């Protein structure tokens, strides 16, 4: 049961992050005539995404678990008892949000690190 909740929380957050990444890629393609600015724009956007994901992770325990996508994706027979669900779903969401925030921060560091030498020249 816990593994299913963890997997669904990871998938739920990954889907949202995927749409954000798609938007960032579109921005970078739009700025591709100036590679330094494209990398800088992508890095700033990934940094913003990391900050937003961390803020959402901080608020995860305050959100009613019944309104989360994880609860909705669980089949009736897979759903844990309410007393259990109110503890494991927010924690699973928080772990998934922190994981993707960490990856977004790394992407921001790589993009901004690649843009820095070009911007200084």
């Amino acid at each position: 049961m816990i593994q299913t909740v963890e997997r669904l929380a990871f998938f739920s957050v990954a889907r949202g992050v995927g749409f954000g990444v798609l938007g960032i890629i579109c921005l970078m393609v739009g700025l591709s005539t100036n590679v330094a600015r494209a990398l800088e724009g992508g890095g700033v956007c990934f940094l913003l995404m990391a900050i937003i994901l961390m803020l959402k992770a901080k608020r995860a325990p305050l959100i009613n678990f019944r309104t989360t996508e994880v609860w909705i994706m669980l089949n009736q027979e897979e759903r844990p008892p309410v007393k259990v669900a109110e503890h494991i779903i927010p924690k699973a969401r928080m772990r998934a949000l922190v994981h993707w925030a960490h990856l977004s921060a790394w992407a921001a560091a790589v993009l901004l690190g690649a843009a820095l030498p070009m911007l200084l020249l």
Side-chain angles (χ1 to χ4, degrees):
M1 168 178 38
I2 293 174
Q3 294 84 8
T4 304
V5 170
E6 291 278 344
R7 183 178 47 82
L8 291 175
F10 189 83
F11 177 75
S12 171
V13 175
R15 184 177 12 200
V17 169
F19 284 118
V21 169
L22 182 61
I24 293 169
I25 290 171
C26 288
L27 171 82
M28 291 176 69
V29 168
L31 296 173
S32 64
T33 56
N34 186 338
V35 176
R37 293 293 176 202
L39 292 171
E40 180 185 23
V44 169
C45 288
F46 270 108
L47 189 59
L48 183 62
M49 183 175 4
I51 291 168
I52 291 168
L53 289 169
M54 286 304 293
L55 291 173
K56 286 181 73 68
K58 186 176 174 109
R59 284 187 40 95
L62 305 175
I63 305 296
N64 183 356
F65 72 93
R66 288 186 184 103
T67 63
T68 65
E69 188 177 11
V70 177
W71 182 256
I72 294 168
M73 287 191 296
L74 285 167
N75 294 329
Q76 282 296 109
E77 56 275 354
E78 290 179 322
R79 290 183 177 169
V82 171
K83 289 290 184 190
V84 175
E86 67 188 5
H87 294 291
I88 64 172
I89 290 176
K91 287 182 182 178
R93 288 186 68 243
M94 188 170 25
R95 280 193 291 275
L97 287 161
V98 168
H99 172 80
W100 286 106
H102 183 85
L103 291 178
S104 296
W106 272 107
V110 167
L111 290 171
L112 291 171
L116 186 62
M118 292 181 220
L119 292 169
L120 294 176
L121 294 177

